[in-house]
mmCIF file of all heavy atoms in Angstrom:
data_model
loop_
_atom_site.group_PDB
_atom_site.id
_atom_site.type_symbol
_atom_site.label_atom_id
_atom_site.label_comp_id
_atom_site.label_asym_id
_atom_site.label_seq_id
_atom_site.Cartn_x
_atom_site.Cartn_y
_atom_site.Cartn_z
ATOM 1 N N GLY A 1053 28.635 153.512 108.527
ATOM 2 C CA GLY A 1053 27.685 152.450 108.832
ATOM 3 C C GLY A 1053 27.758 151.298 107.894
ATOM 4 O O GLY A 1053 26.919 150.439 107.855
ATOM 5 N N VAL A 1074 39.615 151.838 115.660
ATOM 6 C CA VAL A 1074 40.879 151.707 114.897
ATOM 7 C C VAL A 1074 41.947 152.530 115.619
ATOM 8 O O VAL A 1074 41.763 153.709 115.819
ATOM 9 C CB VAL A 1074 40.737 152.162 113.471
ATOM 10 C CG1 VAL A 1074 42.086 152.083 112.705
ATOM 11 C CG2 VAL A 1074 39.672 151.392 112.711
ATOM 12 N N TYR A 1077 46.035 157.277 116.429
ATOM 13 C CA TYR A 1077 46.926 158.234 116.872
ATOM 14 C C TYR A 1077 48.059 157.666 117.816
ATOM 15 O O TYR A 1077 47.815 156.699 118.456
ATOM 16 C CB TYR A 1077 46.187 159.303 117.723
ATOM 17 C CG TYR A 1077 45.037 159.935 116.987
ATOM 18 C CD1 TYR A 1077 43.720 159.984 117.525
ATOM 19 C CD2 TYR A 1077 45.242 160.518 115.714
ATOM 20 C CE1 TYR A 1077 42.672 160.602 116.918
ATOM 21 C CE2 TYR A 1077 44.122 161.116 115.009
ATOM 22 C CZ TYR A 1077 42.902 161.136 115.645
ATOM 23 O OH TYR A 1077 41.867 161.738 114.955
ATOM 24 N N ALA A 1096 55.725 153.638 127.628
ATOM 25 C CA ALA A 1096 54.847 153.623 126.465
ATOM 26 C C ALA A 1096 55.462 154.558 125.375
ATOM 27 O O ALA A 1096 55.263 154.258 124.176
ATOM 28 C CB ALA A 1096 53.465 154.134 126.832
ATOM 29 N N ALA A 1285 71.814 176.337 68.025
ATOM 30 C CA ALA A 1285 73.208 176.309 67.465
ATOM 31 C C ALA A 1285 73.557 177.713 66.934
ATOM 32 O O ALA A 1285 74.724 178.142 67.172
ATOM 33 C CB ALA A 1285 73.225 175.262 66.366
ATOM 34 N N GLU A 1292 78.989 185.414 71.201
ATOM 35 C CA GLU A 1292 80.185 186.190 71.538
ATOM 36 C C GLU A 1292 80.098 187.550 70.799
ATOM 37 O O GLU A 1292 80.333 188.625 71.422
ATOM 38 C CB GLU A 1292 81.445 185.464 71.249
ATOM 39 C CG GLU A 1292 82.644 186.117 71.932
ATOM 40 C CD GLU A 1292 83.824 185.128 71.994
ATOM 41 O OE1 GLU A 1292 83.670 183.957 71.852
ATOM 42 O OE2 GLU A 1292 84.938 185.656 72.240
ATOM 43 N N THR A 1333 71.887 168.483 66.767
ATOM 44 C CA THR A 1333 71.138 167.257 66.694
ATOM 45 C C THR A 1333 70.190 167.072 67.888
ATOM 46 O O THR A 1333 70.386 167.748 68.928
ATOM 47 C CB THR A 1333 72.073 166.032 66.562
ATOM 48 O OG1 THR A 1333 72.786 165.881 67.848
ATOM 49 C CG2 THR A 1333 73.004 166.166 65.471
ATOM 50 N N VAL A 1387 69.796 155.849 81.416
ATOM 51 C CA VAL A 1387 70.675 156.105 82.610
ATOM 52 C C VAL A 1387 71.064 157.579 82.583
ATOM 53 O O VAL A 1387 71.625 158.117 81.636
ATOM 54 C CB VAL A 1387 71.906 155.199 82.550
ATOM 55 C CG1 VAL A 1387 72.861 155.558 83.733
ATOM 56 C CG2 VAL A 1387 71.525 153.771 82.538
ATOM 57 N N GLY A 1440 65.471 143.249 86.111
ATOM 58 C CA GLY A 1440 65.930 143.011 87.434
ATOM 59 C C GLY A 1440 64.801 142.907 88.470
ATOM 60 O O GLY A 1440 63.601 142.869 88.111
ATOM 61 N N ASP A 1448 64.187 149.936 102.179
ATOM 62 C CA ASP A 1448 63.959 150.603 100.870
ATOM 63 C C ASP A 1448 62.412 150.890 100.604
ATOM 64 O O ASP A 1448 62.053 151.041 99.493
ATOM 65 C CB ASP A 1448 64.474 149.737 99.709
ATOM 66 C CG ASP A 1448 66.015 149.531 99.872
ATOM 67 O OD1 ASP A 1448 66.731 150.418 100.258
ATOM 68 O OD2 ASP A 1448 66.485 148.401 99.465
ATOM 69 N N SER A 1458 70.054 142.113 83.842
ATOM 70 C CA SER A 1458 70.473 142.176 82.411
ATOM 71 C C SER A 1458 70.114 143.508 81.838
ATOM 72 O O SER A 1458 69.225 144.207 82.329
ATOM 73 C CB SER A 1458 69.871 141.048 81.695
ATOM 74 O OG SER A 1458 68.412 141.225 81.557
ATOM 75 N N CYS A 1474 48.711 145.344 66.972
ATOM 76 C CA CYS A 1474 47.304 145.110 67.120
ATOM 77 C C CYS A 1474 46.521 146.192 66.378
ATOM 78 O O CYS A 1474 46.700 147.328 66.678
ATOM 79 C CB CYS A 1474 46.875 144.953 68.592
ATOM 80 S SG CYS A 1474 45.162 144.475 68.803
ATOM 81 N N LEU A 1527 44.607 136.394 66.199
ATOM 82 C CA LEU A 1527 45.936 136.343 65.587
ATOM 83 C C LEU A 1527 45.742 136.087 64.017
ATOM 84 O O LEU A 1527 45.025 135.264 63.568
ATOM 85 C CB LEU A 1527 46.810 135.141 66.108
ATOM 86 C CG LEU A 1527 48.211 134.968 65.474
ATOM 87 C CD1 LEU A 1527 49.043 136.205 65.894
ATOM 88 C CD2 LEU A 1527 48.774 133.637 65.996
ATOM 89 N N ASP A 1550 44.094 155.962 67.066
ATOM 90 C CA ASP A 1550 43.728 155.293 68.323
ATOM 91 C C ASP A 1550 43.405 153.789 68.072
ATOM 92 O O ASP A 1550 43.005 153.115 68.939
ATOM 93 C CB ASP A 1550 42.511 155.960 68.953
ATOM 94 C CG ASP A 1550 41.297 155.917 68.082
ATOM 95 O OD1 ASP A 1550 41.419 155.827 66.838
ATOM 96 O OD2 ASP A 1550 40.114 155.927 68.595
#
Side-chain angles (χ1 to χ4, degrees):
V1074 178
Y1077 306 127
E1292 194 163 344
T1333 64
V1387 176
D1448 299 323
S1458 65
C1474 184
L1527 179 67
D1550 64 333

